[in-house]
């Protein structure tokens, strides 16, 4: 068995942002026009009035102030309410491969590696823009990587579950180094006409290089001393979008094919599950909660992270103990905990422990316990 380290991490963010103010102004204009256009049907009970959104609610309920967006054009247009992403030809680089490459190049540089050093590429995220060929193989080809690449989907836990796969491949000796990439292009699956969820997501790309400790030359590397992946089925976060729609004679763009959730139930059920998962994971590594210097937690909701931290620590975490990136990035599906890792790991000292943890749709929870080298 080889000792496995994280030797580089990369973050790429789109050029465009949408603030809560912009998003709420657009949604409210849409809702007011909808209510006026459908006044009769709303008054006779055939249709339900669309309630208005508010920036105060969004920030208080989620901690989100703005989000990055891959293509802003179209999202705020009340005649469209979705991004206008140009379709690329089969000869062009796909959108997600482009996002993945932007993050991967940063991670490779941080690790001091090139494509020649990598044996496996895992593109892991909440959605891929096509079924095949895998985005990972497109990325592999662009970076001149030999070996293999594959895509995997585990919603919010896609990054942590892929890191575990990468760890296991390197530990077993089937790969020298693995590139795990999370091109989270969430905006096409957001229902911008739904008050309860229109504010939740942002687009971003993250990437991590893992390798055998013996080949690592990075200035900032972390030994992986524990991994854990857990799933429990739940319908509380769902997207029914899928390839069977054509055969079902169903509208592939109906609301239930976009992201939807019972957010309150998710909050209540996932917080204790995540806290118990983390406690069990720390116990299994022989450490105590007080040994952990940094918690790179999933970024879905500020109040969720505070509750989980309180359950674990018995107090509020200091800002640098469990960094929050939600205000700037919103929920970026699986990339959230990796953004936190990218931005807040270089200050740790040799021997310090930290934990990466994701939780979300599935339900799925994934974690890795790390020690700075
Ligand atoms: N403006 C004003 N009021 C609002 C708004 C709004 N935008 N939205 C809801 N309200 C109202 C509600 O209708 C409700 O009114 P009432 O009391 O009259 O019923 C009131 O405000 C309070 O609503 P909630 O109780 O629902 O508010 P919460 O405090 O629970 O906050 C949240 C709502 C923010 C959704 C919160 O419940 C939450 O974050 N829960 C956890 C959700 C979560 O973590 N989900 C994981 C999703 S991510 C994931 O798993 C990855 C999926 C794959 C990626 C998908 C990419 C598209």
């Amino acid at each position: 068995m080889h000792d496995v380290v994280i030797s580089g991490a990369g973050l790429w963010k789109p050029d465009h942002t949408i603030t809560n103010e912009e998003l709420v102004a657009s949604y409210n204009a849409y809702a007011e026009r909808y209510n006026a256009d459908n006044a009769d049907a709303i008054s006779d009970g055939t249709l339900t009035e669309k309630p208005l959104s508010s920036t105060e609610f969004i920030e208080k309920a989620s901690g989100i102030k703005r989000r990055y967006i891959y293509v802003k054009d179209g999202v705020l247009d009340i005649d469209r309410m979705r991004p206008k992403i140009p379709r690329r030809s089969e000869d062009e680089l796909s959108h997600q491969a482009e996002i993945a490459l932007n993050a991967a190049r940063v991670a490779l540089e941080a690790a001091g590696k090139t494509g020649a050093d990598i044996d496996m590429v895992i593109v892991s995220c909440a959605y891929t823009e096509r079924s095949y060929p895998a985005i990972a193989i497109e990325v592999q080809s662009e970076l001149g990587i030999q070996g293999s690449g594959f895509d995997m989907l585990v919603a919010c836990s896609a990054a942590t579950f892929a890191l575990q796969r990468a760890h296991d491949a390197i530990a077993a000796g089937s790969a020298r180094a693995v590139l795990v990439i999370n091109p989270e292009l969430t905006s096409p699956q957001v229902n911008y006409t739904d008050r309860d969820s229109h504010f939740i997501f942002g687009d971003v790309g993250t990437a991590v290089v893992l390798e055998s400790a013996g080949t690592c030359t990075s200035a900032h590397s972390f030994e992986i001393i524990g991994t854990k992946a857990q799933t429990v089925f739940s319908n509380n976060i769902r997207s029914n979008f899928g390839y069977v729609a054509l055969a079902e004679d169903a509208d592939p763009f109906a609301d239930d094919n976009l992201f939807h959730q019972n957010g309150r139930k998710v909050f209540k059920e996932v917080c204790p599950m995540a806290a118990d998962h983390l406690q069990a994971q720390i116990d299994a590594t022989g450490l105590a909660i007080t040994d952990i210097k940094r918690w790179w937690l999933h970024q879905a909701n500020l109040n969720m992270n505070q509750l989980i931290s309180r359950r674990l620590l018995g107090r509020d975490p200091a800002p640098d103990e469990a960094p929050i990136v939600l205000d700037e990035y919103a929920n970026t599906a699986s990339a959230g905990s990796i953004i936190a890792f990218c931005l807040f790991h270089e200050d740790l000292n040799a021997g310090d422990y930290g934990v990466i943890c994701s939780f979300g749709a599935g339900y799925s929870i994934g974690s890795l316990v790390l020690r700075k080298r």
Side-chain angles (χ1 to χ4, degrees):
M1 292 282 276
H2 299 265
D3 288 337
V4 182
V5 300
I6 288 178
S7 54
L11 165 64
W12 175 82
K13 46 195 192 191
D15 293 336
H16 312 288
T17 57
I18 297 181
T19 63
N20 286 348
E21 288 73 17
E22 288 176 286
L23 200 65
V24 167
S26 150
Y27 169 85
N28 283 351
Y30 167 85
E32 277 163 355
R33 189 180 66 176
Y34 175 94
N35 293 339
D37 289 351
N38 296 290
D40 292 344
I42 290 168
S43 70
D44 72 20
T46 324
L47 285 178
T48 309
E49 186 180 34
K50 283 210 177 269
L52 297 189
S53 186
S54 95
T55 53
E56 296 73 25
F57 171 86
I58 293 170
E59 197 174 328
K60 187 161 172 279
S62 69
I64 296 165
K65 294 182 184 165
R66 64 183 172 113
R67 70 281 299 138
Y68 290 93
I69 187 114
Y70 182 61
V71 173
K72 186 169 179 175
D73 186 23
V75 175
L76 304 176
D77 173 358
I78 66 168
D79 292 320
R80 184 173 171 90
M81 303 296 273
R82 59 189 198 278
K84 199 177 181 96
I85 300 177
R87 183 154 187 131
R88 290 188 175 169
S89 78
E90 293 187 3
D91 298 333
E92 291 177 284
L93 193 66
S94 67
H95 293 288
Q96 262 182 315
E98 183 182 309
I99 296 171
L101 283 164
N102 287 334
R105 290 193 171 109
V106 181
L108 284 167
E109 194 182 333
K113 295 284 179 263
T114 70
D117 302 306
I118 305 290
D119 287 336
M120 185 186 285
V121 179
I122 309 177
V123 163
S124 193
C125 45
Y127 305 92
T128 49
E129 67 180 84
R130 61 168 186 260
S131 299
Y132 46 81
I135 307 290
I137 304 175
E138 196 179 358
V139 171
Q140 179 195 352
S141 165
E142 289 293 319
L143 292 174
I145 293 172
Q146 303 297 309
S148 64
F150 61 92
D151 295 348
M152 59 184 271
L153 307 179
V154 201
C156 286
S157 289
T160 55
F161 278 41
L163 290 172
Q164 193 193 42
R165 298 280 73 71
H167 166 273
D168 292 355
I170 297 164
S174 56
R176 293 168 301 157
V178 180
L179 184 55
V180 170
I181 321 174
N182 325 106
E184 289 292 9
L185 182 57
T186 64
S187 51
Q189 264 279 309
V190 174
N191 185 348
Y192 289 102
T193 69
D194 172 38
R195 175 180 80 150
D196 290 0
S197 62
H198 74 126
F199 59 89
I200 296 180
F201 293 100
D203 299 329
V204 79
T206 51
V208 175
V209 174
L210 299 88
E211 61 182 299
S212 171
T215 58
C216 177
T217 56
S218 166
H220 296 284
S221 65
F222 290 80
E223 187 185 348
I224 299 175
I225 60 168
T227 66
K228 189 172 166 74
Q230 183 187 359
T231 50
V232 178
F233 185 69
S234 167
N235 271 323
N236 286 325
I237 313 169
R238 250 189 112 104
S239 157
N240 295 321
F241 185 76
Y243 78 101
V244 186
L246 189 63
E248 292 172 332
D249 297 328
D251 174 3
F253 309 113
D255 281 0
D256 75 315
N257 288 323
L258 300 175
F259 167 89
H260 57 286
Q261 70 168 351
N262 186 336
R264 213 180 278 192
K265 265 198 178 166
V266 173
F267 196 109
K268 279 202 183 118
E269 292 174 4
V270 169
C271 287
M273 279 173 63
D276 291 349
H277 169 109
L278 282 164
Q279 184 68 63
Q281 164 74 320
I282 302 300
D283 290 347
T285 51
L287 296 171
I289 294 293
T290 47
D291 292 325
I292 308 301
K293 265 259 165 66
R294 184 134 315 149
W295 302 87
W296 297 287
L297 295 181
H298 182 58
Q299 306 281 320
N301 179 293
L302 173 63
N303 302 321
M304 254 176 139
N305 286 22
Q306 286 175 339
L307 196 63
I308 292 166
S309 301
R310 260 183 236 127
R311 268 182 84 123
L312 288 167
L313 306 173
R315 58 173 171 78
D316 285 332
D320 66 340
E321 256 180 307
I324 297 292
V325 303
L326 272 163
D327 50 346
E328 178 178 350
Y329 291 86
N331 181 340
T332 51
S334 77
S337 57
I338 309 301
I339 299 173
F341 178 80
C342 285
L343 298 175
F344 300 96
H345 71 268
E346 291 192 355
D347 61 314
L348 293 184
N349 297 313
D352 284 347
Y353 293 99
V355 177
I356 296 176
C357 181
S358 66
F359 35 86
Y363 297 133
S364 59
I365 306 180
S367 62
L368 295 99
V369 182
L370 310 180
R371 180 171 49 218
K372 181 99 191 262
R373 298 169 79 231

